[in-house]
Amino acid sequence: MLKATGIGTGATALATPAALATPAGAAGAPLVHPGLLHTRADLDRMAAKVKGGARPYAAGFAKLTANRHAQSGWRANPQAVVYRGSGTPENYRILYNDIHAAYQNALRYHVSGEEAHADTAVAILNAWSGKLTRLEGSADRFLAAGLYGYQFANAAELVRDHGDFDLGRAQELMRSVFHPLSDDFLTRHNGAVVTNYWPNWDLAALACVLATGILCDERAVVERAVEYFKHGDGMGSVKHAIPVVHEDGLGEWVEAGRDQGHALLGVGLMGTVCEMAWNQGIDLYGYDDSRFLKGAQYVAKWALGGDVPYTANTRKKGAIGGWSGTETASDAAGVDPGMTRPIWAMIANHYTRRRGLPASYLTRAAAKAAPEGGGGDYGPNSGGFDQLGFGTLAFTRDRGEAAVGSPSPNPGPSGGSRGAGGVRPQASASPVGGGDLAATGSGDAAGWAAAAGIGALAGGLLLLRRRDRVSRRGTGE
């Protein structure tokens, strides 16, 4: 069953950024700052491109400045206890609105240089770190810890050197409020059987754990997150979230059998984890022959209205020692091609611009969503705040922009050569041949041209029924 679900063992490759005197992956080496979703090079690129009026950066920045959360007049409303799912009052909306205001003001400061925005971000973060003591509610409290924890850390990382920012108190908030719930979820899954929760639950917790390790300079916490991404028992680890790789090279996203919104959430969160790890010299994007690329391509094609195969699976549900049952997903859910989340620019730019790999479904999805907004641009409910967004501004890259600071590969376990960033040169979301646009890469240029033209489970619990046309890859790293 382990083989059937694609779970493998093998060497762990922590790649290292060439620009660092001491490899980031080396034990005891300092972590990179800023080094969550944005590095210093990223921030400098955004500022230079916007100053020069370059497209599509100018349109992405205009999207940011138009958002009400990105205004320097924002005032925080910190709470001592935040409730999500149950509790009196259920007040988690206050938290996510304030965090997005902090992030957007901090990002706006780095692009424009306007100090008032940095001051606003610092004031918001200091207010919350000085008051928030715990998260309560139903099982949704774990979602709150994961989602708002990684987002708080990203906002804090952008102002960590500001003279008025209380970095120590922000780090303590992560260690004592957000991280404990997220780490506990990855360990115990709220007392449920490990497949009870779909991938996005694990991935939210994983993003928080990784962000905590980076913000707080705790390498052991970073390594815990990396290990879970590769080998975790829950459905959010990469080979459980993408349990099947089809013959056309697309990797089946298991939550596509649930619904579109949660599948998009999961892809966005896995991309967030991969990007934060990459900025510390750890290549999760390329792990297991770029398995995430194959899964992201699958979801992009499906979300654009394309037909995708789906392998029926049955997962166990229930509480350990309590009630139990099963649920079967037999086909990919229906989609609304108009539904979007600001998740595509980051993933598409990594694979096509940093690595030069063909990924036409990703580029088409990114072009369709551009310019990406952020919290407040996708409705008032929590789903519109699950991603920090603004990928058109933050992640658009020139082709071949890998260079300084990007991970350099270690050889694979077989000693074979690999291309830039640890991916075999022939690895792509689809094999060469057949009628798939991703096989030729011919759609990439058109997709990016459209974007640029914008004006200002425990192994064995997930039971897969094999089909002849499906190729399961149970290889090691």
Side-chain angles (χ1 to χ4, degrees):
M1 188 62 69
L2 292 176
K3 181 177 180 181
T5 56
I7 305 304
T9 59
T12 298
L14 293 181
T16 60
L20 299 176
T22 304
L31 297 172
V32 178
H33 298 292
L36 284 171
L37 284 175
H38 314 299
T39 64
R40 174 54 55 195
D42 293 333
L43 297 169
D44 290 346
R45 179 187 66 248
M46 291 179 230
K49 293 288 191 180
V50 170
K51 183 178 180 180
R55 297 185 299 175
Y57 303 89
F61 186 61
K63 194 79 172 177
L64 173 65
T65 58
N67 193 301
R68 71 183 185 92
H69 295 77
Q71 311 310 311
S72 59
W74 190 278
R75 297 293 178 266
N77 183 18
Q79 308 291 305
V81 183
V82 166
Y83 299 93
R84 176 166 177 168
S86 63
T88 305
E90 190 183 12
N91 58 355
Y92 68 101
R93 293 171 181 82
I94 298 172
L95 175 60
Y96 67 64
N97 275 281
D98 276 1
I99 289 175
H100 280 256
Y103 171 78
Q104 291 180 28
N105 271 279
L107 189 62
R108 185 170 178 177
Y109 158 70
H110 280 287
V111 177
S112 70
E114 298 172 88
E115 294 284 348
H117 294 290
D119 294 342
T120 297
V122 166
I124 295 168
L125 297 169
N126 283 347
W128 277 95
S129 67
K131 189 163 186 178
L132 182 61
T133 60
R134 65 185 192 275
L135 302 173
E136 300 286 356
S138 66
D140 280 10
R141 70 190 184 279
F142 294 106
L143 290 176
L147 293 169
Y148 313 139
Y150 95 76
Q151 293 172 0
F152 183 94
N154 268 276
E157 184 78 351
L158 290 178
V159 295
R160 67 180 295 135
D161 295 328
H162 191 286
D164 294 329
F165 180 54
D166 196 331
L167 175 60
R169 204 166 68 192
Q171 291 171 326
E172 180 57 28
L173 180 64
M174 292 299 300
R175 290 189 185 105
S176 63
V177 176
F178 293 111
H179 176 264
L181 280 171
S182 291
D183 188 71
D184 183 73
F185 185 83
L186 295 180
T187 302
R188 298 179 179 84
H189 289 90
N190 196 30
V193 296
V194 73
T195 52
N196 185 77
Y197 290 97
W198 288 99
N200 69 85
W201 290 78
D202 264 8
L203 288 165
L206 189 58
C208 178
V209 171
L210 179 58
T212 300
I214 295 170
L215 181 72
C216 299
D217 286 299
E218 295 187 13
R219 180 162 295 281
V221 178
V222 172
E223 291 171 351
R224 151 83 161 138
V226 170
E227 175 64 17
Y228 195 94
F229 177 93
K230 295 178 176 180
H231 303 298
D233 288 337
M235 293 184 74
S237 62
V238 67
K239 294 178 189 178
H240 286 139
I242 310 167
V244 177
V245 176
H246 293 273
E247 290 178 353
D248 63 0
L250 296 181
E252 186 173 300
W253 190 267
V254 70
E255 206 156 0
R258 182 186 184 190
D259 61 58
Q260 182 182 3
H262 286 98
L264 294 175
L265 169 60
V267 170
L269 288 171
M270 188 171 283
T272 294
V273 169
C274 288
E275 184 70 17
M276 293 189 298
W278 175 270
N279 287 335
Q280 296 301 324
I282 303 166
D283 186 8
L284 299 182
Y285 276 118
Y287 175 72
D288 193 36
D289 202 23
S290 298
R291 196 179 192 94
F292 176 50
L293 168 59
K294 298 163 188 174
Q297 279 270 86
Y298 175 99
V299 173
K301 179 182 180 181
W302 170 63
L304 288 166
D307 292 330
V308 292
Y310 191 84
T311 309
N313 69 80
T314 299
R315 65 190 184 97
K316 291 185 177 179
K317 299 172 61 178
I320 296 174
W323 72 275
S324 64
T326 61
E327 180 180 60
T328 297
S330 57
D331 203 354
V335 298
D336 172 8
M339 180 185 293
T340 188
R341 284 179 180 245
I343 64 173
W344 299 115
M346 177 175 65
I347 304 167
N349 273 278
H350 173 81
Y351 287 114
T352 67
R353 298 300 175 88
R354 277 180 176 151
R355 296 193 128 130
L357 295 173
S360 64
Y361 298 122
L362 286 174
T363 54
R364 285 165 55 190
K368 184 176 181 179
E372 289 180 355
D377 290 319
Y378 299 91
N381 296 324
S382 60
F385 292 81
D386 287 340
Q387 283 83 31
L388 289 168
F390 301 104
T392 305
L393 168 66
F395 302 112
T396 300
R397 303 175 185 281
D398 295 327
R399 186 170 293 279
E401 184 188 322
V404 179
S406 64
S408 300
N410 290 327
S414 63
S417 63
R418 290 177 180 263
V423 175
R424 293 184 180 87
Q426 73 270 24
S428 68
S430 298
V432 176
D436 194 301
L437 277 175
T440 66
S442 61
D444 291 345
W448 287 121
I454 299 167
L457 321 158
L461 290 182
L462 183 63
L463 308 176
L464 300 177
R465 293 203 294 270
R466 187 166 188 161
R467 296 178 180 174
D468 291 340
R469 69 176 184 272
V470 174
S471 170
R472 287 181 173 81
R473 297 183 181 178
T475 58
E477 285 107 70

